[in-house]
Each structure stands twice: as C-alpha cells, then as structure tokens.
Amino acid sequence: MRDTCKNILCKLCSSAILAGLILFLIGMYYTVVKAGIPYQDPPLELQIQYAIHMGIGDILVRDGFLLLLAAGTARLVLWVIFRYIVKR
C-alpha cells in the first residue's frame, strides 16, 4: 500500500513538472517567435497582433514557471519524506 501511494505521488509530481516545462516552452515560443521584435512603425492591426502574442506568451511563461516550481518543490518534499522520515 505504501509503495503504491509513493509511486502514484511521485508520478503525479513528475507529470506536473513535465506539464510546467511544456507550458514554459510554449510560452517562450510565443514570446520569441510569434511576437518577436516589434515593428518600428506598424499599422494598428500589427500592433494588436503583437500585443496578443506577447500577452499569451507572458501568461504561459509565468504559469509554466510557477507550475514547474511548485511541482519541483513538491517532488523534493516527497523525496525527503520518503527518504528520511518514512523508514521501511
């Protein structure tokens, strides 16, 4: 029973770390590639498009980083608990 719970919790945290990394990378793609460097004197349509892509990129980078950080911390706490506190 204990090993099953340990495996489930560890896999859940590892999955959240992977999801955070994917969100972070997609956000970086939106920020760097899709939005890119703004034009010098763009028409209104290109300003709107740039603002949309930059906003999406900022949100995805922030949320991906927070998920990555929280899941990494949870995984570290689980490792410490199962390694040092819970003895077999």
Side-chain angles (χ1 to χ4, degrees):
M1 177 72 178
R2 185 180 303 166
D3 289 332
T4 304
C5 291
K6 176 185 174 184
N7 288 336
I8 289 172
L9 288 174
C10 289
K11 286 181 182 181
L12 185 66
C13 286
S14 297
S15 299
I17 289 171
L18 183 63
L21 182 64
I22 290 171
L23 279 176
F24 184 79
L25 291 175
I26 291 172
M28 290 301 295
Y29 169 76
Y30 262 94
T31 303
V32 174
V33 176
K34 293 288 274 188
I37 299 172
Y39 294 106
Q40 188 170 358
D41 289 325
L44 183 60
E45 181 181 328
L46 289 178
Q47 287 178 354
I48 293 170
Q49 184 180 11
Y50 175 79
I52 289 171
H53 289 308
M54 196 58 136
I56 291 171
D58 287 343
I59 291 170
L60 287 175
V61 166
R62 183 191 66 215
D63 289 349
F65 179 74
L66 290 176
L67 182 61
L68 186 64
L69 188 66
T73 303
R75 181 76 168 105
L76 182 65
V77 168
L78 283 175
W79 179 77
V80 168
I81 288 173
F82 289 124
R83 175 83 178 191
Y84 295 110
I85 297 174
V86 177
K87 302 287 182 180
R88 290 186 182 212

